[in-house]
Amino acid sequence: MPVTGWAGRVRLRPGGLLYGGAVGPATAHAHHSVQVIAALDGEGLLLAGPDGQPFRCRAYVVPAGVRHAVLAGTARGVVLHYDPLSSAGRGLAALAGDAGGLVPAAAALPADPFEAACALDSLLPGRPVPEAAAHPGLARVLAWLPGRDGVRLSQAAEVACLSESRLAHLFRAELGLPFRPYVLWLRLMRAAELASRGHSLTDAAHGAGFADGAHLSRVWRRMFGIPPSGFTRTSQWM
């Protein structure tokens, strides 16, 4: 039976999105993130590249800005997104294309698709954003940032009691992600959290510091290639 939609579990974090579940078709699009898409069962995925020609694969790395489509999905699959400026994003972009040798066989991954996505995330090149910061100044900033709109590096540097250049270096060195993209991912996380709790897209956008629902949708589409409702209405957020 062909897979016609998306339904699974999602985790959005600074610098990336992890998804495990049914992978449905997606019309031709390009996104800001670097994407890893893989099938865990069946005949694999039927994709189309920038030229529109279909090809079948088990796993694929799509660089940021590259137009592609999912012509036929899979009942059990994973989709991972990484900011192109993150350590993981840069490492994966260098390996763009067929990822059959990069992604372990399905038998080597957990049976649950979302757990498989988490396991694959830990195995891919580049360092996922850690849960905590080692430097106390950076740790103070990470605790202070959530829920704040329009934050500038100069303000964060004051909280950290560090120079702007030192704080910018710590973001790249410890988190693998520059300051501005990190803040944007926090806002997307807040919007997704609000939407998943039943708030309207407009309210979720305002609560996350976006001008309106249309602004949030544009940023979300640019990042992931689909509207926010593509995940928030059909998937469970972790």
Side-chain angles (χ1 to χ4, degrees):
M1 180 180 296
V3 178
T4 58
W6 297 74
R9 289 189 286 167
V10 188
R11 176 179 296 158
L12 185 62
R13 64 179 187 197
L17 179 147
L18 312 180
Y19 169 86
V23 175
T27 57
H29 65 281
H31 36 65
H32 178 68
S33 56
V34 178
Q35 181 190 60
V36 179
I37 183 169
L40 299 177
D41 58 10
E43 298 180 353
L45 300 158
L46 185 63
L47 307 181
D51 59 2
Q53 292 299 311
F55 63 92
R56 192 170 289 279
C57 64
R58 188 175 68 86
Y60 206 80
V61 177
V62 184
V66 173
R67 192 170 177 81
H68 63 287
V70 181
L71 303 180
T74 179
R76 294 177 60 253
V78 301
V79 177
L80 313 179
H81 286 271
Y82 299 92
D83 193 285
L85 296 178
S86 68
S87 298
R90 294 194 305 270
L92 287 166
L95 302 171
D98 192 289
L102 185 66
V103 176
L109 294 171
D112 178 84
F114 180 74
E115 292 178 5
C118 295
L120 178 57
D121 172 61
S122 68
L123 296 173
L124 293 174
R127 182 178 59 190
V129 174
E131 297 293 332
H135 193 285
L138 179 57
R140 284 195 298 273
V141 171
L142 297 186
W144 173 80
L145 276 175
R148 298 182 183 275
D149 301 331
V151 176
R152 295 189 294 272
L153 181 61
S154 59
Q155 296 172 293
E158 290 181 5
V159 173
C161 299
L162 297 168
S163 67
E164 292 183 37
S165 59
R166 176 59 176 158
L167 181 60
H169 171 76
L170 286 172
F171 263 88
R172 288 185 177 274
E174 288 203 26
L175 304 182
L177 189 66
F179 175 77
R180 285 185 179 278
Y182 185 93
V183 172
L184 175 60
W185 283 89
L186 288 183
R187 293 169 63 200
L188 289 171
M189 288 171 62
R190 177 59 176 160
E193 177 189 5
L194 292 171
S196 68
R197 290 181 178 179
H199 291 267
S200 69
L201 189 61
T202 297
D203 288 344
H206 290 160
F210 294 95
D212 50 33
H215 182 203
L216 171 60
S217 292
R218 286 196 301 272
V219 174
W220 193 281
R221 279 183 178 275
R222 181 172 64 89
M223 187 67 73
F224 305 119
I226 61 173
S229 59
F231 280 134
T232 55
R233 291 179 183 172
T234 60
S235 299
Q236 176 187 356
W237 289 82
M238 309 298 294

